[in-house]
Amino acid sequence: MAADTLFIRRRELQEIRNSSEHGCKPFKSFKSFRRQVVFTKKMKKFNDEVRRLVGMLGDASGGQQSQHQGRTSGFCLEEETHHVIGLEQQINELLIQLIAKQDQDTQVITVVGEGGSGKTTLATAVYNRVDVKRHFTHRAWVRINPSAYKSRDVLVDILKQFDQDQSVVLTAFSDETLIQWLTKLLKRTRFLIVLEDVETPQVWESLQAALSSSSSQGGRIVVTTRNANGLQTSDSVIELRRLNEEESWALFLNKVRLSEDELNNSDLISFKEQIVSICGGLPSAIVLLGGLLSTKGKSPKEWSRILTMLN
């Protein structure tokens, strides 16, 4: 039944795409009109996102990263983790720290690297693995925003992700009760918590008492940061570096959805040196630029226009 439904949905989507690509054909029913409206809205959302990413590209290539606009509750991660070129060694290292070692006490692993170096990509690739999901009975991911940070919000976020049924009750608890509840829960479960963008010692110090308490089940906390100095969080540290030219080009080809043979046999190969230079070995810049150029097909004129603008 699910397969039939999926097939129908795909066919409907294709019909909508065809109608948009081959002119404005009259709709035969309100249902088809509604589908077209939904598709148009989604395309507008996609175009707006591309414009936003283009704006970020200059900052990413300079080693800077825009501040997040707000704290994220129940952070949702995509299942796809194929953009990990150049991070294979670090992924294996993080996996060993998470599930291969049988330490019983809570362990804290810091992933450190400059903005755009792939910290979130690395953590996501591991967080979403099937073996990691099976190993940990409870998982939570919280993104920290220094401009709107409150330790209480982080604790509530974690507890909500651990137990969705308690989400309404949690807001009524005092800070002390929240800490006691979370500490008790962590001691009797095998958990994985990812704290993204912990940039100051004060943030970690405000959470350490509740999160680093002894766990009889082998809890793990992953902290991502651009600057590990002064955090004093870690049992181990994983450092990320910029990609070399070969890794950068391999990641770009992956994102632009062209094979190396296709590029070598076209005028587009002349842009290789310029692309590698603009991105500076930062995975975020490579992914953004590759995604943008993938929408331009094999048009040297369009590639040249975009790269000139970025320079």
Side-chain angles (χ1 to χ4, degrees), residues 296-310:
K296 305 304 177 183
K298 299 180 182 179
S299 170
K301 181 179 179 180
E302 284 297 300
W303 281 39
S304 177
R305 181 181 66 83
I306 292 172
L307 294 174
T308 299
M309 176 185 68
L310 293 176

Side-chain angles (χ1 to χ4, degrees), residues 84 86-95 122 238 241:
V84 294
L87 296 175
E88 296 87 352
Q89 179 181 344
Q90 290 86 349
I91 287 176
N92 290 333
E93 185 178 349
L94 183 54
L95 281 172
L122 168 62
I238 298 175
R241 56 170 176 78

Side-chain angles (χ1 to χ4, degrees), residues 26-278:
F27 296 101
K28 295 182 180 180
S29 67
F30 175 76
K31 185 178 292 186
S32 62
F33 171 75
R34 184 177 63 182
R35 288 199 301 266
Q36 176 67 11
V37 171
V38 171
F39 178 76
T40 302
K41 287 183 177 179
K42 288 184 177 181
M43 288 302 298
K44 182 180 183 302
K45 184 177 180 181
F46 172 78
N47 289 333
D48 291 341
E49 182 68 2
V50 169
R51 294 190 187 97
R52 185 183 69 83
L53 295 179
V54 171
M56 291 171 58
L57 183 57
D59 289 340
S61 62
Q64 298 177 346
Q65 195 174 41
S66 300
Q67 293 291 336
H68 296 299
Q69 297 303 310
R71 178 182 54 81
T72 302
S73 296
F75 188 60
C76 180
L77 297 167
E78 293 182 355
E79 288 293 332
E80 296 183 8
T81 58
H82 52 280
H83 295 306
V84 294
I85 294 172
L87 296 175
E88 296 87 352
Q89 179 181 344
Q90 290 86 349
I91 287 176
N92 290 333
E93 185 178 349
L94 183 54
L95 281 172
I96 291 173
Q97 298 292 333
L98 293 182
I99 62 179
K101 289 189 174 182
Q102 298 300 316
D103 303 276
Q104 293 302 303
D105 292 337
T106 298
Q107 300 290 309
V108 181
I109 303 107
T110 297
V111 177
V112 59
E114 61 186 306
S117 61
K119 299 183 298 296
T120 300
T121 300
L122 168 62
T124 302
V126 173
Y127 189 89
N128 282 333
R129 285 176 60 104
V130 174
D131 51 355
V132 171
K133 291 179 180 179
R134 289 175 178 171
H135 182 78
F136 295 100
T137 56
H138 291 78
R139 296 182 308 139
W141 183 302
V142 180
R143 177 183 295 164
I144 305 297
N145 183 349
S147 63
Y149 170 75
K150 293 181 180 179
S151 59
R152 175 187 174 85
D153 291 336
V154 175
L155 300 180
V156 170
D157 268 357
I158 293 171
L159 284 167
K160 282 182 178 180
Q161 293 179 60
F162 281 1
D163 189 352
Q164 301 263 341
D165 296 335
Q166 302 293 335
S167 58
V168 177
V169 181
L170 291 171
T171 56
F173 289 165
S174 66
D175 291 2
E176 183 179 356
T177 302
L178 285 173
I179 293 175
Q180 290 176 352
W181 191 2
L182 182 57
T183 300
K184 186 180 296 185
L185 177 61
L186 296 183
K187 284 184 177 180
R188 66 172 186 261
T189 187
R190 183 186 295 126
F191 66 87
L192 170 60
I193 297 173
V194 176
L195 300 175
E196 182 184 358
D197 292 342
V198 178
E199 301 301 341
T200 65
Q202 291 76 17
V203 170
W204 173 247
E205 289 170 2
S206 67
L207 299 171
Q208 190 171 13
L211 300 183
S212 294
S213 55
S214 177
S215 169
S216 60
Q217 301 295 325
R220 297 291 182 266
I221 301 171
V222 176
V223 176
T224 74
T225 180
R226 282 178 284 183
N227 182 11
N229 293 334
L231 290 185
Q232 298 179 346
T233 63
S234 295
D235 298 290
S236 64
V237 177
I238 298 175
E239 296 186 14
L240 299 187
R241 56 170 176 78
R242 293 197 180 203
L243 303 183
N244 59 35
E245 182 175 330
E246 181 180 353
E247 293 166 337
S248 297
W249 190 241
L251 179 58
F252 174 78
L253 291 176
N254 179 285
K255 187 59 180 176
V256 82
R257 302 185 186 282
L258 291 174
S259 68
E260 191 159 13
D261 288 340
E262 288 178 291
L263 281 177
N264 287 336
N265 295 325
S266 71
D267 294 335
L268 299 178
I269 192 63
S270 63
F271 298 113
K272 177 177 180 179
E273 184 176 341
Q274 190 176 3
I275 289 169
V276 172
S277 175
I278 287 175

